[in-house]
Structure formats: C-alpha cells, structure tokens
Amino acid sequence: MILATDWVRLLIVCVVFTSAACAIAWFTGLTKPQPFLKAAVRAVLQLAAVSAVITVVLTHLSLTGVFLVVMAVVATATSARRTRTGRRGVWVAAAILVGTVPALVLLIAIGLLPVKGIALIPVGGILIGGAMTATTLSARRALDALQERHGEYEAALALGFMESTAVRLVIRQPAAEALVPPLDQTRTVGLVTLPGAFVGMLLGGAPVWQAGALQIVVLLALLAVEAAAVSTVVELIARGLIRRPSQEGEVRLT
C-alpha cells in the first residue's frame, strides 16, 4: 500500500524533473517550456486513466484487443501530427502496423507470448511505440530531404530515372537514420541500458535467465518492426501517398 508520504515524494520528484527539463530547454534556447509541461500533464492524466481501467481490460481478452487498437490509433494520430502530413497522415498507420501485427502473430503462434492481456498489452505497446517512433523520425527526415534536395530529384529525372525511383534515391539514406537509436539500444543492452521488460520481470520475481530471454526476443522483434516501418515509409513517400500539404504536386508520379 502506498502511504501519503510516498505520494508527496513522488509529486516532488515529478515536479523537479519536469521543471528541470523546462528550464534547460528555455535557458539554452532549445525550445519553449510548454511542450514539456503539456507532455508531463498528459502523461499523468493518461497513466491515471489507464490505471483505473487496466485491471478490467487485463481480465477480458476482447477488451485487450480493443485496447491494442486504441494504442495503434493514438500512435497513428501522433505520428501524423509530428510529420505534419495532414489528411495523408492516415497512411502512417500502414508503416506502424506492417511489422507490428506479424510480429505479435508470430510470437503468439510459437507460444512465446500467451494470449492474455497481461502479456499482450505490454509487448504490443512496446512494438507499437517503437514503430511509431521509427515512422515519425524516418518520415520527418525523408520529407525534409525531399524538400531540401529537390534539385537532386530533378537531376535524377533528367538522367532518365522513374519519378518514384528518383524519390527513393533522395530519401532512402535520411530515412534510414531513424534506425540508429534502436540499433544502438540493441548493441548496448546490458552494458548501458537495462530495458523495461527485463527490469519488470526481475522486480516481479522471475529468474534472471527468463527475464533476459524475454528481453532479447522483444529487442529483436522491435528491430524487425522498426526496419519494416522505415522501409514502408520510404515506399509510401516514393509512391506519393505520404506528403505534407506544402509538397502536394511537387513530385508527379507516373
């Protein structure tokens, strides 16, 4: 049971960390403090809401499925907003789900992931969140490159390349930079970072080897999911399905 003094300490620590983030960003000129304040408030409210319903969700498989769908919808909306793709942002859902769904199906099919809410929600959340991040970063970098290096695209067309191929030549490498964080996380696991699944299982009393086995499966699944997301983003942009409103009509696809 959490005591009142524990809640007070928790509140103080949260306020200190949020204030530090705001102050650092403000005084160093990185950005305004408002995004940090909004993110902190949203995190508190969302976790409070999830905590209120999670017990019911975990005991009903159908509600678990609904919860995963909500995760995917929120991830799509977040990525679409961050990439500033407007109505075309709906296509980012394809990048988020193209690797996530097969990964979950495979883990369930081979018996590593039980068909229970207590297992599906955390693992599904990790994979959806990773795909969302990879999609957002790769789309932002690729769309920026398409705008900044438009001359290279035009030069490729002049050399006889198809328009979709010309787009791929410009955006493929910038988009691939979104894979640097997950690659570094996987390379340094256990040496620099101890990911949440590993720590959570240890705190729950699981054997160290079992926690490590689950974590390596999740990390490698995450790599596959994020690689699929980035590759899909490149294809969607190359085919003209993902664009910012300001870029509409800049690339004419045959």
Side-chain angles (χ1 to χ4, degrees):
M1 182 177 179
I2 301 179
L3 302 176
T5 53
D6 295 326
W7 285 111
V8 172
R9 284 197 293 266
L10 176 63
L11 177 62
I12 291 173
V13 169
C14 290
V15 170
V16 168
F17 284 145
T18 304
S19 300
C22 292
I24 292 169
W26 175 260
F27 286 112
T28 58
L30 293 176
T31 185
K32 296 179 180 179
Q34 284 86 345
F36 296 93
L37 292 173
K38 290 179 181 178
V41 172
R42 283 191 59 171
V44 171
L45 294 178
Q46 287 165 189
L47 285 175
V50 169
S51 299
V53 302
I54 198 69
T55 302
V56 177
V57 170
L58 293 179
T59 56
H60 295 80
L61 189 58
S62 60
L63 292 180
T64 296
V66 172
F67 199 83
L68 289 171
V69 171
V70 171
M71 283 183 173
V73 170
V74 173
T76 298
T78 301
S79 187
R81 185 175 66 254
R82 285 296 187 185
T83 53
R84 305 191 303 278
T85 48
R87 59 186 175 82
R88 293 198 177 215
V90 68
W91 284 101
V92 303
I96 292 172
L97 297 177
V98 70
T100 301
V101 173
L104 285 174
V105 170
L106 176 61
L107 290 174
I108 292 171
I110 62 179
L112 285 177
L113 189 65
V115 187
K116 297 180 180 178
I118 194 65
L120 290 173
I121 287 179
V123 174
I126 290 171
L127 297 181
I128 292 171
M132 177 190 69
T133 301
T135 297
T136 299
L137 292 177
S138 60
R140 283 171 64 99
R141 291 286 295 163
L143 292 171
D144 286 345
L146 188 58
Q147 182 174 352
E148 296 165 1
R149 299 166 56 186
H150 197 70
E152 295 179 37
Y153 159 75
E154 295 286 356
L157 289 181
L159 291 173
F161 287 97
M162 292 181 61
E163 293 175 353
S164 56
T165 304
V167 174
R168 291 188 191 95
L169 291 174
V170 172
I171 70 173
R172 187 176 285 129
Q173 192 57 44
E177 292 184 13
L179 295 174
V180 172
L183 284 170
D184 284 348
Q185 181 185 28
T186 304
R187 289 190 184 109
T188 61
V189 65
L191 299 176
V192 177
T193 61
L194 292 176
F198 180 82
V199 175
M201 289 190 67
L202 289 182
L203 293 176
V208 175
W209 68 267
Q210 190 176 30
L214 175 63
Q215 185 59 69
I216 194 62
V217 168
V218 171
L219 278 175
L220 296 181
L222 197 54
L223 270 184
V225 165
E226 293 184 320
V230 173
S231 299
T232 303
V233 165
V234 170
E235 284 304 308
L236 290 172
I237 294 176
R239 296 173 184 271
L241 297 174
I242 292 181
R243 284 288 186 279
R244 290 172 179 153
S246 60
Q247 294 175 312
E248 295 284 354
E250 286 186 2
V251 179
R252 305 174 308 279
L253 296 179
T254 56

